[in-house]
């Protein structure tokens, strides 16, 4: 097991993609059983069940397939692309996290054995105890709303991920996936009724770099990058007037964020932070990523994940 690692008219925004659905083939029944096992544990903890998200599944499937091909494991392949960036490039707009696990045998899997392997893996995660309970905390996080089960199996090798996300946006207009430095950016949307957008932050990290097999294997946890800037809702920047309010939220719950990419190449992640009704806790509920390069184009190693943004209908 690998350790896992929080008076104006409405704005004209695009409806958030309808990504909820059922698991796809192959291994539909096995994926459904994994979700049922997790949702049963959530019910015991008096938490809402997780809805299924086919975008999360596509991202997880592709990552698992790459790992099997590379004989790798965990959250990273040789490309060095972090889990959240894979998801954002594929069109996801929730706040993402990932569980990852593997099974390896010198013998091919017996017919019908996959379900038991996956069930034992989930049971092991749910049985974790603090402080080494990252998988369990992710599965039983009250803020998580959606799941996709990534799977790949070949011979005696199995890779599984739980791609998890907090998806609170009911409308979403994302910034471009790639841009040049010092480019003006815009993001807009609306949150579900129980949420109130309160702040937005832009995170930054260097462009992903390739990893050796050993480097990829030893990464047992990961985290989101450091904050570059924080914007409070409807608050002007220091020294600015009403026209210099980067993050606006109206009485209908619509929000808009405007900022400029930094001076250097890297990955910028815009995160919307919100509060529940009658709560002052800030929770990340929506996000997007923009890859900043001198050409304004995605590096080749990231194109694979962007191509997953094209919806694929399950049979």
């Amino acid at each position: 097991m690998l350790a896992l690692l929080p008076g104006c008219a409405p704005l004209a925004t695009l409806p958030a993609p309808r990504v909820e659905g059922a698991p796809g083939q192959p291994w539909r029944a096995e994926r459904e059983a994994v979700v049922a096992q997790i949702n049963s544990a959530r019910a015991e903890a008096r938490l809402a069940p997780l809805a299924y998200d086919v975008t999360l599944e596509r991202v997880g499937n592709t990552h698992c397939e790459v790992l099997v091909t590379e004989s790798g494991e965990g959250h990273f392949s040789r490309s060095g692309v972090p889990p959240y960036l894979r998801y954002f490039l594929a069109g996801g707009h929730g706040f993402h996290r990932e569980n990852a696990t593997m099974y390896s045998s010198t013998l091919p899997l017996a017919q019908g054995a996959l379900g038991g392997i996956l069930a034992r893996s989930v049971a092991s995660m749910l049985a974790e105890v603090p402080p080494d309970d990252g998988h369990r905390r992710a599965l039983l996080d009250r803020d998580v709303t959606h799941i996709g089960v990534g799977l790949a199996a070949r011979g005696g090798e199995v890779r599984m991920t739980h791609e998890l996300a907090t998806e609170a946006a009911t409308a979403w207009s994302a910034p471009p996936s790639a841009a040049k430095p010092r480019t003006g950016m815009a993001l807009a949307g609306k949150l579900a009724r129980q949420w109130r957008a309160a702040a937005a932050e832009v995170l930054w990290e260097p462009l992903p770099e390739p990893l050796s097999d050993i480097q990829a294997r030893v990464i047992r946890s990961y985290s989101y990058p450091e904050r570059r800037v924080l914007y409070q809702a409807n608050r002007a920047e220091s020294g600015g007037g009403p026209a210099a309010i980067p993050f606006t939220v109206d009485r209908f719950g619509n929000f808009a964020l405007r900022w400029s990419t930094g001076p250097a190449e890297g990955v910028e992640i815009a995160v919307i932070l919100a509060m529940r009704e009658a709560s002052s806790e800030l929770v990340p509920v929506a996000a997007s990523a923009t890859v900043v390069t001198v050409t304004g184009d995605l590096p080749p190693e990231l194109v694979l994940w962007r191509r997953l943004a094209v919806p694929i209908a399950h049979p």
Side-chain angles (χ1 to χ4, degrees):
M1 298 297 172
L2 299 175
L4 180 63
L5 16 268
C8 300
L11 294 169
T13 59
L14 301 176
R18 295 184 61 84
V19 293
E20 293 83 4
Q25 300 289 2
W27 310 303
R28 182 192 294 266
E30 287 82 357
R31 296 180 208 267
E32 289 176 342
V34 167
V35 176
Q37 186 177 2
I38 293 169
N39 278 338
S40 176
R42 288 181 65 87
E44 290 182 8
R46 299 185 178 182
L47 299 170
L50 301 179
Y52 206 79
D53 183 324
V54 295
T55 297
L56 290 167
E57 182 189 291
R58 286 201 300 272
V59 173
N61 283 345
T62 303
H63 178 56
C64 289
E65 289 163 4
V66 171
L67 291 180
V68 170
T69 299
E70 295 181 354
S71 298
E73 60 182 87
H75 300 294
F76 288 83
S77 66
R78 294 173 189 162
S79 69
V81 182
Y84 47 82
L85 182 55
R86 300 193 293 260
Y87 166 71
F88 294 137
L89 289 176
H93 60 82
F95 188 78
H96 177 269
R97 65 218 72 181
E98 178 186 80
N99 283 344
T101 186
M102 68 167 291
Y103 172 88
S104 182
S105 173
T106 56
L107 300 175
L109 291 183
Q111 186 173 1
L114 181 60
I117 292 170
L118 302 182
R120 289 190 292 273
S121 175
V122 174
S124 177
M125 291 181 181
L126 292 171
E128 292 173 346
V129 295
D132 299 320
D133 61 340
H135 297 103
R136 180 179 181 277
R137 285 186 286 108
L139 296 177
L140 300 183
D141 187 328
R142 70 167 183 163
D143 297 323
V144 172
T145 59
H146 289 71
I147 186 173
V149 180
L151 274 177
R154 191 182 310 161
E157 299 296 322
V158 177
R159 303 294 184 272
M160 176 174 67
T161 63
H162 305 146
E163 306 291 335
L164 305 161
T166 302
E167 298 181 16
T170 59
W172 186 255
S173 181
S177 59
K180 294 181 179 180
R182 303 187 187 280
T183 299
M185 307 294 287
L187 179 157
K190 183 176 182 178
L191 298 183
R193 183 173 299 178
Q194 67 269 31
W195 293 101
R196 176 169 55 89
E201 59 183 1
V202 178
L203 317 178
W204 183 90
E205 67 182 350
L207 294 173
E209 294 186 353
L211 301 172
S212 68
D213 288 340
I214 294 177
Q215 288 174 320
R217 285 178 180 273
V218 299
I219 300 175
R220 298 296 178 177
S221 63
Y222 70 93
S223 62
Y224 274 73
E226 294 294 321
R227 176 192 296 164
R228 183 167 74 82
V229 62
L230 174 69
Y231 302 112
Q232 301 289 341
N234 300 324
R235 183 176 299 179
E237 291 186 283
S238 179
I245 302 177
F247 185 52
T248 59
V249 182
D250 70 17
R251 64 187 180 92
F252 299 98
N254 298 284
F255 60 82
L257 173 65
R258 294 174 177 84
W259 79 101
S260 293
T261 56
E265 289 191 319
V267 177
E268 297 204 353
I269 299 174
V271 181
I272 304 301
L273 304 170
M275 300 178 185
R276 282 190 180 86
E277 296 175 352
S279 172
S280 60
E281 179 187 3
L282 282 176
V283 178
V285 297
S288 68
T290 298
V291 179
V292 181
T293 63
V294 292
T295 63
D297 299 318
L298 282 177
E301 63 272 17
L302 299 182
V303 172
L304 165 67
W305 304 104
R306 186 58 186 165
R307 287 175 179 164
L308 296 181
V310 178
I312 300 174
H314 283 155

